[in-house]
């Protein structure tokens, strides 16, 4: 076990070399000392992408067992630095140690899950049609099909998950599992955390004899660095978790390339929760308390935060809202990930509070980098007339929408844009109402829940973390779970190719 003390050196990792730059930026930790980090440049992007393309000629054709062992070694190296990662991560983000330790377990767990997944081989979707030389009127050739890696992938680190969605997070794990080298643009909110995780990957590269260009980390940099990365000719796909504005700008850049490439952006969601009448009457207060816990988990900084609850106006909804307000009122202000996120939360809260037809039930002052929970209430008519109320506020804010009928609830459901999740709180007697909502919600969200809260995302085979735009930029993909490997693969058909020339997984 390494010593808990970790002092970042502030360099980029480019194809196995730690490289300093001429310009630097200073981290803005929630606590502890700030550190200097080199600023990324388009020239460094070009160097990293060229190395990734060179690495693909070996890594892209490595065996599944070689890649699985590499993923497992990365997990081992991350765990060996566990105390250091927690120390620098809590300092930079303000997240509690228990949260960072849990997220580290998720990060190493998904690396090992992908190792198991590629060993199994089912993801290759191997297909074979034998030759039919005597078929009339025309013979059929022998055909094999298999999924093959697409090439180097760019990954953008996320602000709200410094481990599970960043340097060695789900996008990186899926791409490496598929056989794709990765170039990561680290998030400036937690550069020290990104650096130590990159050290773990670098150690695994050396231990496993992997081409050093298989992984690079570029820190900081302005928009020109992100633009250079997504538009580099060597990059064949992009993984991104972040804001709608930033993601859409990168998405457009990918589409404007001479060779357009897929941009897999997870851009956020309000994750509506529908309170069906019988469940609301039977246990509205209980649901309200649970909703408050979900809203404030991680200071509301989850893309699956269920920010809007819709129910029939009446005493049952009043009990739900009162219980939620009481629970939220007992939560002290907490530190947000960055000053910018805290400022955006205050702006979003002010926008909601200033909207016509909105009543504040709880609206404590939030100062500096801290965020206090906020709760608002409005009518279905006001909600439908004010589209901005359906826009995400990143933080611990909830809106209760009181509708006059189940038909109005259905109308509101139809009016939502694409979502990551949608939740039904229901009892057995609510099934007829739920049956009306289900076809609508299935078209709106990537994951539907009953009698739960969406702020836990299980990493497994069946999970879908994505949805119609603007929840994500590709409704056919997920950024969590083993299906996410498909983003970095493409089908290739081999016709009458001699057996010895076929990919090893087809022999």
């Amino acid at each position: 076990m390494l010593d808990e003390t970790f002092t970042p050196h502030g360099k980029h990792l480019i194809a196995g070399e730690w490289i300093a730059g001429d310009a630097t930026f200073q981290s803005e930790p929630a606590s502890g000392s700030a550190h200097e980090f080199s600023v990324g440049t388009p020239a460094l992007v070009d160097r990293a992408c060229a190395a990734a393309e060179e690495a693909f000629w070996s890594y892209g054709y490595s065996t599944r067992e070689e890649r699985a062992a590499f993923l497992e070694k990365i997990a081992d190296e991350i765990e060996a630095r566990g105390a250091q990662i927690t120390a620098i991560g809590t300092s930079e983000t303000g997240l509690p140690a228990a949260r960072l330790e849990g997220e580290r377990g998720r990060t190493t767990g998904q690396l090992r899950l992908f190792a198991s997944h590629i060993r199994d081989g089912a993801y290759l979707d191997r297909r074979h049609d034998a030759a039919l030389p005597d078929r009339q009127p025309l013979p059929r050739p022998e055909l094999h099909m298999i999924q093959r890696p697409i090439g180097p992938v760019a990954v953008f680190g996320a602000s709200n998950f410094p481990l599970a969605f960043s340097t060695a997070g789900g996008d990186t794990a899926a791409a490496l599992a598929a056989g794709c080298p990765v170039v990561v643009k680290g998030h400036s909110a937690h550069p020290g955390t990104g650096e130590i995780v990159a050290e773990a990957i670098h150690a695994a590269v050396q231990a496993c004899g992997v081409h050093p260009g298989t992984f690079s980390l570029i820190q900081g940099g302005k928009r020109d660095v992100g633009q250079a990365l997504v538009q580099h000719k060597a990059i064949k796909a992009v993984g991104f978790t972040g804001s709608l504005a930033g993601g859409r700008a990168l998405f457009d850049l990918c589409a404007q390339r001479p060779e357009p490439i897929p941009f897999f952006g997870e851009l956020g969601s309000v994750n509506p929760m529908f309170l069906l009448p019988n469940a609301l009457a039977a246990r509205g207060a209980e649901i309200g308390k649970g909703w408050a816990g979900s809203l404030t988990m991680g200071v509301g900084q989850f893309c699956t935060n269920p920010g809007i609850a819709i129910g029939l106006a009446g005493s049952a909804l009043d009990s739900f809202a009162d219980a939620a307000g009481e629970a939220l009122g007992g939560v002290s202000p907490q530190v947000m990930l960055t000053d910018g996120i805290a400022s955006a939360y205050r702006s979003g809260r002010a926008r909601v509070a200033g909207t016509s037809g909105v009543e504040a039930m709880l609206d404590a002052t939030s100062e500096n980098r801290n965020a206090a929970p906020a709760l608002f209430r409005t009518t279905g008519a006001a909600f439908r007339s004010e589209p901005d109320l359906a826009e995400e506020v990143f933080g611990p804010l909830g809106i209760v929408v009181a509708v006059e009928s189940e038909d109005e609830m259905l109308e509101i459901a139809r009016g939502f844009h694409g979502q990551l999740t949608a939740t039904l709180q229901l009892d057995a007697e609510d099934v007829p109402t739920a049956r009306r909502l289900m076809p609508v919600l299935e078209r709106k969200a990537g994951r539907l829940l009953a009698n739960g809260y969406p702020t836990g995302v299980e990493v497994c085979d069946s999970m879908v973390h994505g949805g119609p735009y603007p929840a994500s930029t590709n409704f056919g993909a997920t950024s969590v779970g083993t299906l996410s490997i498909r983003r970095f693969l493409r089908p290739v058909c081999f016709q009458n190719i001699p057996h010895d020339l076929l990919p090893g997984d087809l022999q």
Side-chain angles (χ1 to χ4, degrees):
M1 183 66 66
L2 298 175
D3 186 273
E4 290 188 21
T5 303
F6 174 71
T7 302
H9 50 64
K11 299 177 181 179
H12 312 283
L13 176 63
I14 308 293
E17 296 183 41
W18 292 103
I19 298 174
D22 295 331
T24 63
F25 71 97
Q26 192 172 65
S27 63
E28 299 178 355
S31 62
S33 301
H35 298 283
E36 296 288 331
F37 293 87
S38 296
V39 175
T41 64
L44 288 172
V45 168
D46 181 63
R47 184 169 172 178
C49 291
E53 173 64 19
E54 179 60 31
F56 184 68
W57 295 111
S58 58
Y59 189 73
Y61 297 87
S62 59
T63 67
R64 287 182 284 125
E65 179 55 39
E66 288 170 338
R67 296 198 302 279
F70 177 47
L71 294 171
E72 290 171 337
K73 185 60 175 173
I74 295 173
D76 291 343
E77 294 291 345
I78 290 173
E79 288 176 345
R81 294 161 174 77
Q84 293 179 313
I85 290 171
T86 299
I88 188 70
T90 54
S91 170
E92 290 186 323
T93 66
L95 294 171
R99 156 67 194 276
L100 265 296
E101 289 162 2
E103 190 181 331
R104 188 178 74 243
R106 172 175 169 172
T107 304
T108 57
Q110 61 195 11
L111 286 162
R112 293 189 173 109
L113 176 64
F114 274 112
S116 175
H117 186 61
I118 61 176
R119 280 193 178 105
D120 175 73
Y123 79 98
L124 294 168
D125 194 17
R126 288 172 283 206
R127 305 183 185 201
H128 177 220
D129 289 291
L132 297 175
D134 299 324
R135 189 183 67 174
Q136 295 298 325
L138 294 172
R140 184 176 75 187
E142 182 175 46
L143 301 167
H144 288 87
M145 190 274 281
I146 192 172
Q147 300 285 342
R148 298 294 294 151
I150 59 173
V153 170
V155 171
F156 286 73
S159 64
N160 58 337
F161 279 86
L163 299 174
F165 276 91
S166 291
T167 309
D171 290 343
T172 298
L176 292 176
C180 300
V182 173
V183 178
V184 172
K185 184 184 183 298
H187 199 287
S188 57
H190 42 76
T193 309
E195 180 185 304
I196 191 170
V197 174
E199 285 190 353
I201 299 174
H202 179 52
V205 166
Q206 293 177 311
C208 296
V210 172
H211 190 295
T214 299
F215 176 83
S216 292
L217 169 69
I218 300 171
Q219 298 275 30
K222 298 181 180 179
R223 291 183 179 180
D224 60 341
V225 174
Q227 179 174 341
L229 184 55
V230 301
Q231 292 192 310
H232 197 283
K233 63 181 181 180
I235 296 298
K236 300 305 179 185
V238 179
F240 174 89
T241 299
S243 69
L244 174 59
R248 183 55 196 251
L250 293 173
F251 174 85
D252 291 343
L253 288 173
C254 288
Q256 293 164 7
R257 288 174 36 143
E259 177 202 1
I261 59 172
F263 177 84
F264 298 105
E266 190 271 283
L267 308 180
S269 180
V270 295
N271 307 293
M273 181 173 71
F274 295 84
L275 310 166
L276 302 195
N278 289 282
L280 188 60
R283 48 192 175 87
E286 175 189 344
I287 298 171
K289 292 177 183 177
W291 183 48
S294 186
L295 284 175
T296 55
M297 182 182 295
V299 205
Q301 298 168 115
F302 290 146
C303 46
T304 52
N305 194 30
I308 298 174
I310 305 105
L312 291 179
S315 59
L317 186 63
D318 294 341
S319 296
F320 163 84
D322 290 342
E326 183 178 355
L328 291 171
V331 178
S332 300
Q334 296 172 281
V335 178
M336 299 198 86
L337 292 160
T338 69
D339 291 329
I341 289 174
S343 176
Y345 172 66
R346 290 192 294 271
S347 296
R349 191 189 64 201
R351 169 176 58 80
V352 173
T355 302
S356 176
V358 172
E359 170 195 356
M361 298 185 66
L362 177 70
D363 192 18
T365 301
S366 296
E367 297 179 342
N368 302 321
R369 193 161 160 174
N370 295 321
L375 181 64
F376 300 91
R377 181 166 177 159
T378 190
T379 65
F383 186 83
R384 287 184 287 112
S385 67
E386 297 287 350
D388 285 352
L389 291 177
E391 299 299 322
E392 180 184 31
V393 177
F394 197 61
L397 181 147
I399 302 175
V400 179
V401 181
V403 298
E404 296 301 320
S405 66
E406 292 180 10
D407 285 342
E408 188 177 26
M409 181 180 289
L410 187 64
E411 185 176 353
I412 285 177
R414 286 175 174 153
F416 277 113
H417 296 301
Q419 304 291 325
L420 294 171
T421 74
T423 301
L424 295 171
Q425 298 288 350
L426 76 162
D427 284 352
E429 297 81 5
D430 292 312
V431 167
T433 303
R435 191 171 284 122
R436 296 181 67 195
L437 282 165
M438 282 291 288
V440 177
L441 300 183
E442 184 181 323
R443 295 184 66 184
K444 298 293 183 180
R447 176 165 57 112
L448 307 184
L449 299 83
N451 297 331
Y453 305 96
T455 38
V457 182
E458 188 70 27
V459 181
C460 60
D461 291 331
S462 307
M463 179 51 63
V464 172
H465 189 63
Y469 186 85
S472 62
T473 56
N474 190 309
F475 60 78
T478 173
S479 62
V480 177
T482 54
L483 185 63
S484 65
I485 197 174
R486 289 292 186 94
R487 297 174 297 167
F488 309 123
L489 298 165
R490 66 181 182 88
V492 178
C493 177
F494 298 89
Q495 180 172 325
N496 285 340
I497 298 296
H499 183 268
D500 289 346
L501 292 179
L502 292 171
D505 286 321
L506 282 176
Q507 293 181 13

